[in-house]
Amino acid sequence: MHAALGEARRALEEKEVPIGAVVVCLDTVLSRAHNRTIRLNDPSAHAEILAIREACQMRKNHRIPDCELYVTIEPCAMCLGAAVQARLKRIVFGTLDPKGGAVRSIMQFPVEKTNHNLNIEGGILANECGLIMKEFFATKRK
């Protein structure tokens, strides 16, 4: 999660929403990314999507079932769907996203009803992950 937080800080430097993600396979970081929706003019350029894409390209496979995704905030429906499609083993996220989270917040995506058993764990370094988001949006509101 510390590596994902590092990516979130990179997003902050680029004036993007500070979300970072890392894909880990067999205890090795395979890919890392941060939000780039503004820079790429792409609403799908979320940290999770970019990290999953890169990991799949590295593996030369659209399925990465031995990999885990670490992300600083609760995934949205799009990112959760991509994780299911990639057949990730597990998602570990930091803080809840009360405005867009699809795991526990505004939606409870029925992962158990999909064709893939995805384990999800939340609340890891939640304070640190939440603080960077709060600081970002506080400066936006000034």
Side-chain angles (χ1 to χ4, degrees), residues 80-97:
L80 194 53
V84 168
Q85 292 302 314
R87 304 296 192 265
L88 286 171
K89 177 170 50 175
R90 180 169 82 134
I91 295 175
V92 178
F93 70 87
T95 193
L96 293 172
D97 180 359

Side-chain angles (χ1 to χ4, degrees), residues 10-132:
R10 288 184 67 198
L12 190 60
E13 290 169 8
E14 295 176 14
K15 297 187 178 20
E16 296 273 1
V17 176
I19 299 171
V22 177
V23 174
V24 176
C25 298
L26 306 172
D27 295 325
T28 301
V29 173
L30 190 59
S31 65
R32 56 183 72 225
H34 54 276
N35 269 17
R36 290 202 167 151
T37 58
I38 297 166
R39 174 178 248 174
L40 298 176
N41 296 311
D42 180 356
S44 72
H46 289 198
E48 302 97 308
I49 298 290
L50 297 174
I52 290 169
R53 279 183 189 154
E54 183 179 339
C56 288
Q57 289 171 358
M58 298 269 304
R59 284 287 181 87
K60 296 182 178 14
N61 196 327
H62 67 292
R63 305 280 196 240
I64 47 175
D66 57 340
C67 295
E68 301 172 315
L69 173 70
Y70 290 81
V71 61
T72 55
I73 195 165
E74 177 184 10
C76 70
M78 175 181 68
C79 294
L80 194 53
V84 168
Q85 292 302 314
R87 304 296 192 265
L88 286 171
K89 177 170 50 175
R90 180 169 82 134
I91 295 175
V92 178
F93 70 87
T95 193
L96 293 172
D97 180 359
K99 303 263 183 177
V103 177
R104 296 187 189 140
S105 294
I106 65 165
M107 296 179 229
Q108 285 79 45
F109 189 93
V111 174
E112 68 282 351
K113 292 183 180 180
T114 67
N115 60 348
H116 173 63
N117 185 20
L118 175 65
N119 294 313
I120 303 173
E121 181 180 352
I124 307 305
L125 297 179
N127 289 336
E128 294 91 330
C129 294
L131 185 60
I132 194 169

